[in-house]
Amino acid sequence: MPTSALTMHLSFLSAVGMLGLANAVSVAVIPPYPVNGTSAVQFALDGPFDAPKTDFFNQSTFQWWYFDALSEDLKQSIVFTFYANTAAASGVVGSPFNGLTLNLQLANGSMPEFAVPSEAILMATVGEGLSAIMNGTGYSWYESSDLSFVYIDINDKFNNITGSFQIASGAPHHAMCGPATEGASLLVIDGLGWANSIPDGTALIDLNVNGEKFKFKGVGYHDSNWGVQASSSSESAMWYWGHARVGPYSIVWSDVLDIAASKEFQSGYVAKHGEIISDSCGNITVRPTGQNSTWPPIPGQQPSGFHIVYDMGGNGVLDVNITNSETISYEPLAYSRWVGSTVGGIQGQDMYKGVALYEWEGG
Ligand SMILES: *[C@@H]1O[C@H](CO)[C@@H](O)[C@H](O)[C@H]1NC(C)=O
Ligand SMILES: *[C@@H]1O[C@H](CO)[C@@H](O)[C@H](O)[C@H]1NC(C)=O
Ligand SMILES: *[C@@H]1O[C@H](CO)[C@@H](O)[C@H](O)[C@H]1NC(C)=O
Ligand SMILES: *[C@@H]1O[C@H](CO)[C@@H](O)[C@H](O)[C@H]1NC(C)=O
Ligand SMILES: *[C@@H]1O[C@H](CO)[C@@H](O)[C@H](O)[C@H]1NC(C)=O
Ligand SMILES: *[C@@H]1O[C@H](CO)[C@@H](O)[C@H](O)[C@H]1NC(C)=O
Ligand SMILES: *[C@@H]1O[C@H](CO)[C@@H](O)[C@H](O)[C@H]1NC(C)=O
Ligand SMILES: CC(=O)N[C@H]1CO[C@H](CO)[C@@H](O)[C@@H]1O
């Protein structure tokens, strides 16, 4: 592990210690089984942005840290999800408590998927950033204290995958409906939280997958979700979520429909040249397009793309169309994840092109 996150991590921690800044560091161990008791779960920003949002994980509390990247020709993509309490997070009974999944879209069109159970997760929060070792898996990550950089180190002996994944952020982190200030809401829907630490960035992927090179430079993204399973109305909700680039704009959306309550919760984010130009709730509408695009969606229907309209007040109306290029993950009636191309911009101004990675989740 020459450039492993662990090595960087330990040398960083000892450097911090020598500088007498040890109070900026907090360390946590998430055991590979639930802890009995009532967890204190955070849905408003209180402390380090990317830190675990519960004091411990009981049978029903969960969190995952998600990282993705796609190539600008839409032919390659990669998605990592690192889970604490996989069963509560995914609803898949019998899952290992801690674990990770890795989805690849290879240039030849095949889409291998890997799942690796983990022992304890060792975590250290420094500044706003979180670094972690998924013990016993060969996966670990290091994130800088200002969220400008993240590095995943892979030495996976089970699947014979080695190499690295990194993102240099190009767009500031944000809360659900505005800037990431103390106390800002991180609540997507009752029982589900969201912290978007890297809305857009330049990604470098350099892996060796069972002897084959998997290497590209593209667009990267990182966020985290957490929640309490039993109380979550996400059970009866469906959502559209995704991130895109179109010309100079970095865009992140989430448009959630609570089906039981018939209520829609929308969150939009746009940055340009590394500055947030709009970040709000209630002003962005995401709708499926093409032949099979009923809304609310009928499970099983596959639209051919999405139309996003975001009223940014004084900054104009962002209007973007996305056309699916490839379905990169699919669970019948429950979930689709795509990569696609974008066209759009601010109405009345220059129009641009770009790429996107996005999903529909049926709850
Ligand atoms: C947690 O609760 C379960 C069920 O009540 C019990 O079987 C288990 O021993 C408890 N675990 C601990 C560490 O106390
Ligand atoms: C876990 O903690 C949450 C509080 O955040 C509580 O609602 C839930 O009932 C607890 N689950 C168990 C199995 O104790
Ligand atoms: C694509 O490449 C992978 C890795 O080399 C290989 O395992 C797979 O069989 C290939 N798929 C196709 C459809 O050629
Ligand atoms: C993590 O793995 C290392 C190496 O196998 C082991 O020494 C250590 O005890 C493990 N830590 C935890 C908390 O499981
Ligand atoms: C793992 O991949 C390497 C190439 O990186 C190859 O030489 C080796 O045979 C593979 N090992 C197994 C067990 O497949
Ligand atoms: C749009 O966002 C602004 C700023 O967050 C907010 O004040 C306004 O109420 C929102 N409009 C709607 C229709 O929700
Ligand atoms: C997106 O498509 C809709 C029709 O589905 C069209 O009205 C709109 O102008 C398009 N926007 C852009 C930016 O192309
Ligand atoms: C899955 C699904 O709903 N497919 C439909 C998409 O639209 C075409 C044309 O209307 C139908 O023939 C498919 O059945």
Side-chain angles (χ1 to χ4, degrees), residues 1-12 131-133 138-142 149 151-155 163-164:
M1 282 170 84
T3 53
S4 83
L6 173 60
T7 312
M8 276 195 270
H9 203 70
L10 293 176
S11 55
F12 188 71
S131 298
I133 300 166
Y139 292 78
S140 59
W141 79 88
Y142 162 83
F149 176 73
Y151 182 101
I152 304 177
D153 185 76
I154 302 124
N155 189 5
S164 64

Side-chain angles (χ1 to χ4, degrees), residues 291-292 300-301:
Q291 282 194 324
N292 298 299
Q301 276 198 347

